[in-house]
Amino acid sequence: MINTIDYHHIFSEIASEFKEVDDLGAIANYIPELGKVDPTKLGVHLTTVDNQHYAFGDADEPFSIQSVAKVLSLTLALKIMGGDLWNRVGVEPSGSPFNSLVQLEYEKGIPRNPFINAGAIVICDILVTCLDDPKNDLLAFIRKISGIDSINYSSKVAESEKKCGYRNYALVNLMKDFGNIHNDVDIVLDLYFYLCSIEMTCKELTNAFMFLASGGMNPIINERVISLTRTKRINSVMLTCGFYDEAGEFAFRVGLPGKSGVGGGIVAIHPGKFCIAVWSPKLNAKGNSYKGMKVLEALTTKTKCSIF
Ligand code: GLN
């Protein structure tokens, strides 16, 4: 099945079609450093579970992966804490923007899911509690599961976000008041901002996320990252919550579990087949890559291959 799809041909069709597509998105300049990125970038990299690679455009250029990283912090927290983690963060779609405060008050400081900002901040709190050296241990985990030692944080992006992360300060303080943040709020947010600042290329992202396409095991480096059951759980939360209040639209158009970030990156998984990463910095009104979503829709339409 894997090799019957002519990805080379499909990618060259998509590459030429998308040259003509107007990008109606806007760059995420609420984080000043992200506002400096060239908005015309477009990169795509697909890696199959049997280690075939297909790419075009700016697939080898590092960019700020932002909320895409929240899948990796969740994976590490699940490994460390196990299912008890779900007492502190839910698994329901929020139907609200990624940085919304509204539900948190009604729901007593328990975020709907680990991918909205509030949920990812709780995961950072768990990592601060459990790890000796949270920033370095988290980075070491990501380097290990991807097999790429050069992956790093961008302190420029993290510090830029810290200066204007007013909503994230509001979220962490509200949750602290409800008792769902156990550590000092500045230490927790510092880890959160650094998590979001990680820079990777599309190709590197497919390496880091490959375990989700192959039952918890990264076959490229022969490394088990997490169990089969937890792989199912992470993929299902990506499908239902990976795109905030556009998760339904992504499932409807693309039909794969995925996760976006305000740097314009999207990673999507076809369990048993491949992992794909797309980068195009301009975002739609919901904070997801405008062209990235369209490229992925074209891919699953042309290959006639989604999880549904
Ligand atoms: N760092 C960003 C923020 O907290 C992450 C948001 C995102 O990528 N959706 O606002």
Side-chain angles (χ1 to χ4, degrees), residues 30-31 65-68 70 98-99 117 161 168 192-193 196 244 259-263 287:
Y30 79 98
I31 301 171
I65 70 168
Q66 293 291 318
S67 288
V68 175
K70 293 173 181 174
F98 61 84
N99 54 6
N117 288 13
E161 191 166 354
N168 291 321
Y192 173 79
F193 292 137
C196 292
Y244 320 112
K259 183 74 203 83
S260 66
V262 292

Side-chain angles (χ1 to χ4, degrees), residues 9-22:
H9 178 69
I10 288 170
F11 271 15
S12 64
E13 271 185 18
I14 293 177
S16 66
E17 283 169 25
F18 272 80
K19 275 191 196 125
E20 311 304 320
V21 173
D22 261 353

Side-chain angles (χ1 to χ4, degrees), residues 101-110 174 178:
L101 282 147
V102 181
Q103 280 167 343
L104 257 194
E105 169 92 70
Y106 292 123
E107 297 178 1
K108 304 198 179 336
I110 308 289
L174 189 56
F178 278 113

